[in-house]
Amino acid sequence: MIRDNFSKILREAMSEDSWLISEDQYDAKKNLQFESLFALSNGYMGIRGVQEEGNHPSLPYVYINGIFDKSETFMRELVTLPNWSELKFYVEKQLLSVERCEILEYRRALDLKTATLYKHVLLRDESGRESLIESVRFLSRENVHRMGMKVYFTPLNYDGILEIESSINGSILNFCDAPRFKVKHSVVTENSAKEDNIYLEVETRDDLLHIGTGASLHAYENGEEVLRNRRCSAFGEVALEFADCKVKEGKTVEILKYVSVFTEKDCERAAIRPSVFKELESFRDRGFTEEHRAHKKVYDTMWKRANVRIKGDFELDRAVRFNIFHLMSTASEYDDRVNVGAKLLSGEEYGGHAFWDTELFMLPFFSFVFPEKAKRLECYRYRLLDAARKNARKNGYQGAQYPWESADDGTEQCPDWTIEPDGSCYRCYVAKYEHHVTAAVMYGAYKYAETTGDTDFLYKEAAEIFVETARFWASRVLYNETLKLYEIREVTGPDEWHEPVNNNVYTNYLVKWCLRFVSSLITEMKDSREAEYRSLCEKLHFMEEEAETWKEISDKIYIPKKEGTKIFEQFEGYFDLYEVLIEKYDKNDWPIRPEILKTMSVTETQLIKQADVVMLMHLLGQEFDEETIRENYNYYEKRTLHGSSLSPSIYAIMGLKIGDSSKAYRYLRRAALLDLWNIQGNTREGIHAANTGGVWQTVVFGFAGLSLDENGELHLQPHMPKEWEELQFSIMHRGEATEITIKGDNSYTIRKREANEV
Ligand code: IFM
């Protein structure tokens, strides 16, 4: 048992192994990966799993969702905020850290059940003193402005004086380990102390948005406060609280760091500091243990809804839970000014921006499990509809065009230019050509309403999104007089290795579906939702002829296909590219890049980065017969290199649709273990958020075969792999918590939960 390594007090608090992700020995080369894996978030703030004493290498990042800044970079990115987790221990000036001491015992564990990070280290310093240091860290989910750390410090073979340094470090940079890209997005505006608190306030550089962080230190032995010689200092960008205490061999001192953070998005600027201090006081009054208990209770409720249990397959069971943990922890249930970034709040890649990842990979999980969070994500897109209108105008189109990368204000955040690691400038065409996100937003809004039954949203806010995005597509297509068909030229589909192309099937077909759907929704509203229809017409100056045009485009959009077969041509000319098939896989079952790519650019080949035609079939399965799905899956599966984490889960789900369960099982393993095993080698940059949602979809839509019919009735078509004895999960089905249990022989039960079980 993982918890056996911890002392009794922590052992009793920790969950069993199926809820624990552990780091069993210290290896500096894995620091950054574990910082991502052990990130904690409470829907408001995220902090990477950094070590309190600060070790190397480290990206000690704290983020608050929605706090962005651009300054001299290419885009608005999440600002790394003052690091409040610093807590250092010294005995006779020797820093007790894994880097400076001999490590006698080491283990960290992320408790998924309670969103708590535990640490156990036994260190021997240069003088032979042995210190046992165990810690607990959480970001309260009940009171999101409270973050707490507790350390149990026990000298094992000495008496002495323990010197403690607790700081809030505002000198933090984005990309702090990349000399070429380092940037400081905030400046310190106040560094002060009030009685026994330290306080640091920073201001973002573009928007002058203020963020205040306060902390206070306490220590107890047998319930008695033991800190002496307290001193709070303002050292430039670092606010530091010093104190010491006597420690005795075998006696444990409990050291507590209470932290609170508020920003100008939470209250008026002048109220930030008072709010921080008030919160710290309430936190202290309530106590670490009580706050932690309340936090755990919230997680308990969340897990009642979100847990997926796979009996008979321990490793996968835990890995699936790990993915769900990160996804559900990050999304907010009350703030529609924020989305979920491509790396959650766990790393800096993609600047915290939201992509199509949200609608097509994460939203299904939220719609089925946490509809209130799904609603916030939908409201986020609705709130930014106006910005999408401006974006369309800027690019010469009508209606609303959602940005490929979205931060807080809805403007395009995917840069046209970036700097390569060698300093050269790189023209990035993604925002210019990758337009399918606009279809994803529309599809997501429809699916959200279909899943949750939120018709209020469907006929009001969503209807506006539908009309405006339909207008965009109507202005984006071109009529080809020769073919007598509509085309979308110069576009990039999900497979970003071929850009731009003409008539990407994924994009064209999705547009076909979107335009058909909007036209029929409009007819339905006209017939049976008169008031909403009238208000939509007035608000958007909508005219019926528009819907007729959309229908015509939908009927006549070009869908390239291989003559005489059911195989779609990913884009015009794809079949003429050099044929390369994937034949070899590495130890993680990941495809090995074919040798030919040493001499030929991937753009000249049929190799693709990620699910494209197959992604389309995942979204619009009802449009294609089984044979079409099979032929396309078989064709493209051999050509997909899964250069993106958005790919394996989709192939798993679609493999199951055509009865290929053994490949599907392998794909699920790759997806579920992607970050835990650092399969793509870039987990240091943060957790792959879309993949976490893809993992959930693979289990629920793939292996359980869950679907809703047009009347909202629930259907299951399980494909249990031989390794699984039982699969259990729950969803909110039309407002009722519904538990689904599937046995190894594919028999199942669907049970409505009682109110006290939810
Ligand atoms: O949205 C994805 C894209 O499909 C592939 N590259 C990474 C992006 C963010 O996850």
Side-chain angles (χ1 to χ4, degrees):
M1 293 278 262
I2 293 169
R3 61 185 179 203
D4 286 349
N5 294 65
F6 291 80
S7 57
K8 188 161 176 281
I9 190 144
L10 296 190
R11 210 162 49 229
E12 285 175 356
M14 291 169 78
S15 306
E16 63 210 42
D17 282 9
S18 57
W19 292 92
L20 296 179
I21 304 295
S22 73
E23 180 188 27
D24 301 336
Q25 65 185 57
Y26 183 72
D27 175 358
K29 288 198 283 307
K30 292 195 174 158
N31 276 359
L32 300 180
Q33 180 195 345
F34 274 102
E35 283 186 358
S36 298
L37 298 179
F38 288 173
L40 292 175
S41 172
N42 60 4
Y44 169 75
M45 168 181 281
I47 182 167
R48 285 167 60 82
V50 291
Q51 309 259 4
E52 298 79 24
E53 72 270 25
N55 58 352
H56 304 90
S58 173
L59 299 171
Y61 297 154
V62 171
Y63 300 113
I64 290 181
N65 208 353
I67 306 287
F68 290 95
D69 184 75
K70 179 176 172 301
S71 298
E72 61 274 22
T73 59
F74 286 96
M75 58 194 186
R76 285 172 79 69
E77 56 194 17
L78 276 181
V79 176
T80 62
L81 296 169
N83 176 13
W84 48 259
S85 73
E86 292 184 354
L87 188 57
K88 293 183 180 157
F89 302 110
Y90 301 81
V91 178
E92 291 180 19
K93 292 198 210 148
Q94 286 197 43
L95 174 66
L96 303 180
S97 82
V98 287
E99 287 176 349
R100 303 277 178 88
C101 301
E102 186 186 345
I103 303 172
L104 303 178
E105 289 175 20
Y106 180 90
R107 187 158 235 172
R108 285 199 299 166
L110 171 67
D111 192 332
L112 305 172
K113 193 171 191 178
T114 62
T116 305
L117 183 61
Y118 292 101
K119 172 170 159 179
H120 165 105
V121 284
L122 176 54
L123 302 175
R124 183 184 288 141
D125 67 22
E126 283 170 15
S127 311
R129 282 182 293 251
E130 292 177 9
S131 308
L132 176 65
I133 303 172
E134 295 195 297
S135 71
V136 183
R137 179 193 300 173
F138 75 102
L139 272 58
S140 176
R141 187 100 207 178
E142 190 180 78
N143 294 295
V144 295
H145 300 282
R146 299 180 186 179
M147 302 89 207
M149 286 159 61
K150 182 172 192 173
V151 177
Y152 297 87
F153 187 96
T154 318
L156 295 189
N157 58 357
Y158 65 96
D159 293 345
I161 293 179
L162 177 68
E163 295 181 314
I164 309 170
E165 259 182 16
S166 157
S167 45
I168 305 170
N169 190 342
S171 70
I172 186 73
L173 305 174
N174 278 51
F175 296 99
C176 65
D177 70 341
R180 200 182 288 285
F181 301 110
K182 278 180 193 175
V183 57
K184 182 107 169 69
H185 282 297
S186 64
V187 285
V188 172
T189 53
E190 181 182 340
N191 186 349
S192 61
K194 179 180 172 268
E195 292 153 23
D196 53 0
N197 299 325
I198 45 174
Y199 180 76
L200 194 82
E201 194 163 310
V202 297
E203 177 182 74
T204 60
R205 287 171 55 204
D206 290 336
D207 299 341
L208 312 182
L209 202 77
H210 280 232
I211 300 106
T213 308
S216 77
L217 191 64
H218 297 267
Y220 303 91
E221 194 183 321
N222 297 326
E224 296 289 313
E225 172 95 52
V226 290
L227 286 189
R228 319 172 312 176
N229 302 317
R230 288 186 110 102
R231 204 187 64 224
C232 291
S233 313
F235 292 135
E237 294 183 307
V238 178
L240 192 139
E241 181 171 358
F242 167 87
D244 68 20
C245 63
K246 284 189 181 153
V247 287
K248 286 186 239 60
E249 181 175 331
K251 296 270 182 248
T252 303
V253 174
E254 291 178 20
I255 297 141
L256 293 143
K257 182 167 182 177
Y258 295 99
V259 181
S260 176
V261 182
F262 277 82
T263 80
E264 214 172 336
K265 287 192 157 186
D266 306 315
C267 58
E268 298 279 302
R269 185 179 293 184
I272 296 177
R273 179 146 52 102
S275 305
V276 166
F277 286 139
K278 193 157 165 259
E279 195 73 6
L280 279 176
E281 204 177 309
S282 318
F283 190 1
R284 275 190 311 253
D285 288 349
R286 187 179 209 189
F288 182 95
T289 309
E290 210 34 59
E291 186 69 41
H292 194 203
R293 190 171 295 137
H295 158 80
K296 290 197 273 195
K297 221 165 141 205
V298 179
Y299 261 86
D300 207 44
T301 314
M302 286 165 73
W303 278 119
K304 275 195 181 133
R305 289 215 213 162
N307 194 19
V308 168
R309 257 184 347 100
I310 302 173
K311 257 201 212 156
D313 199 343
F314 180 82
E315 189 175 44
L316 200 56
D317 171 67
R318 180 167 56 185
V320 168
R321 195 165 293 121
F322 166 82
N323 283 281
I324 294 170
F325 167 79
H326 277 292
L327 184 56
M328 78 170 182
S329 293
T330 311
S332 170
E333 49 272 40
Y334 57 86
D335 193 348
D336 62 15
R337 294 169 300 177
V338 298
N339 203 286
V340 181
K343 298 290 176 183
L344 305 170
L345 293 174
S346 67
E348 64 191 344
E349 202 181 8
Y350 297 123
H353 302 160
F355 292 69
W356 67 314
D357 305 26
T358 298
E359 274 72 17
L360 302 190
F361 290 81
M362 310 179 215
L363 187 64
F365 164 76
F366 292 120
S367 298
F368 272 106
V369 182
F370 295 107
E372 61 288 356
K373 295 187 195 220
K375 178 79 179 255
R376 300 277 73 78
L377 294 171
E378 282 308 312
C379 292
Y380 166 92
R381 292 294 193 187
Y382 178 67
R383 230 177 31 80
L384 297 176
L385 180 58
D386 220 29
R389 287 186 181 105
K390 289 191 187 117
N391 195 35
R393 232 53 86 240
K394 181 173 144 254
N395 296 333
Y397 303 115
Q398 289 165 20
Q401 181 187 9
Y402 280 91
W404 175 245
E405 295 186 30
S406 185
D408 51 350
D409 62 8
T411 55
E412 180 58 76
Q413 292 302 320
C414 180
D416 286 337
W417 289 93
T418 56
I419 296 181
E420 291 295 274
D422 68 358
S424 58
C425 288
Y426 172 76
R427 174 72 171 98
C428 177
Y429 287 104
V430 179
K432 185 164 159 75
Y433 298 124
E434 199 155 353
H435 292 174
H436 60 82
V437 58
T438 296
V441 170
M442 186 194 155
Y443 176 91
Y446 152 72
K447 273 285 173 190
Y448 159 76
E450 183 193 62
T451 307
T452 59
D454 188 349
T455 45
D456 266 3
F457 180 78
L458 178 71
Y459 295 114
K460 289 187 191 131
E461 292 89 347
E464 283 185 44
I465 294 179
F466 297 157
V467 167
E468 290 293 33
T469 52
R471 284 173 171 164
F472 163 72
W473 289 116
S475 70
R476 177 66 177 84
V477 298
L478 292 171
Y479 188 64
N480 182 321
E481 288 290 349
T482 321
L483 295 174
K484 302 269 178 274
L485 290 172
Y486 288 92
E487 295 188 278
I488 302 182
R489 302 183 73 82
E490 296 209 295
V491 74
T492 303
D495 164 29
E496 295 166 329
W497 286 345
H498 296 93
E499 64 159 12
V501 297
N502 292 335
N503 295 310
N504 164 246
V505 171
Y506 171 88
T507 310
N508 286 21
Y509 210 113
L510 215 54
V511 171
K512 177 183 178 70
W513 179 88
C514 286
L515 294 180
R516 188 192 329 137
F517 169 74
V518 192
S519 316
S520 68
L521 188 92
I522 295 285
T523 312
E524 183 200 328
M525 285 176 71
K526 197 174 156 206
D527 293 346
S528 56
R529 313 283 301 206
E530 221 187 299
E532 284 112 329
Y533 177 71
R534 248 186 292 112
S535 118
L536 186 73
C537 292
E538 275 164 32
K539 190 163 180 194
L540 303 185
H541 308 292
F542 169 75
M543 286 176 302
E544 278 180 48
E545 303 81 85
E546 286 187 270
E548 281 159 31
T549 310
W550 299 339
K551 173 104 192 15
E552 147 143 348
I553 298 170
S554 169
D555 290 342
K556 292 192 186 158
I557 197 159
Y558 180 33
I559 308 291
K561 217 174 191 181
K562 191 174 208 163
E563 283 234 346
T565 74
K566 292 185 174 235
I567 302 176
F568 290 108
E569 184 172 31
Q570 189 179 288
F571 52 85
E572 243 184 309
Y574 172 83
F575 291 137
D576 304 331
L577 296 174
Y578 190 79
E579 183 176 69
V580 186
L581 301 182
I582 294 155
E583 272 145 2
K584 292 189 186 142
Y585 295 83
D586 68 13
K587 64 175 191 330
N588 293 324
D589 207 11
W590 205 264
I592 293 176
R593 281 173 83 82
E595 286 288 303
I596 187 91
L597 292 183
K598 289 189 180 142
T599 52
M600 186 180 256
S601 154
V602 74
T603 56
E604 298 167 68
T605 74
Q606 288 184 354
L607 288 169
I608 65 172
K609 182 180 179 187
Q610 65 200 89
D612 194 300
V613 171
V614 173
M615 181 75 201
L616 169 71
M617 296 187 168
H618 164 58
L619 300 180
L620 299 180
Q622 74 284 1
E623 301 271 309
F624 311 103
D625 60 44
E626 202 179 316
E627 205 39 46
T628 304
I629 297 179
R630 174 170 295 109
E631 285 192 23
N632 281 279
Y633 173 90
N634 286 336
Y635 185 88
Y636 285 104
E637 205 264 338
K638 294 191 198 82
R639 291 162 172 82
T640 308
L641 264 177
H642 305 293
S644 159
S645 65
L646 277 66
S647 198
S649 54
I650 302 305
Y651 274 93
I653 299 169
M654 296 316 289
L656 288 167
K657 287 265 177 322
I658 58 144
D660 189 346
S661 51
S662 76
K663 250 190 209 145
Y665 180 75
R666 285 165 55 199
Y667 273 124
L668 172 60
R669 277 182 64 82
R670 289 178 215 173
L673 294 163
L674 185 110
D675 284 310
L676 285 169
W677 288 3
N678 194 15
I679 292 181
Q680 288 200 321
N682 61 354
T683 295
R684 52 161 274 153
E685 319 289 353
I687 299 293
H688 295 80
N691 178 61
T692 63
V695 167
W696 183 87
Q697 289 195 51
T698 304
V699 174
V700 172
F701 300 151
F703 286 98
L706 182 140
S707 62
L708 296 181
D709 66 21
E710 60 276 15
N711 303 317
E713 295 300 321
L714 193 63
H715 295 273
L716 293 170
Q717 203 180 348
H719 307 272
M720 291 283 279
K722 61 178 184 343
E723 290 81 358
W724 297 3
E725 286 162 27
E726 189 180 285
L727 166 65
Q728 190 174 68
F729 60 92
S730 56
I731 55 163
M732 294 299 289
H733 181 229
R734 296 292 143 92
E736 286 190 290
T738 307
E739 185 179 280
I740 291 154
T741 309
I742 306 173
K743 297 281 179 205
D745 62 2
N746 288 329
S747 60
Y748 60 82
T749 51
I750 300 178
R751 185 175 78 87
K752 299 282 172 212
R753 282 191 175 160
E754 304 295 327
N756 62 356
E757 291 179 281
V758 183

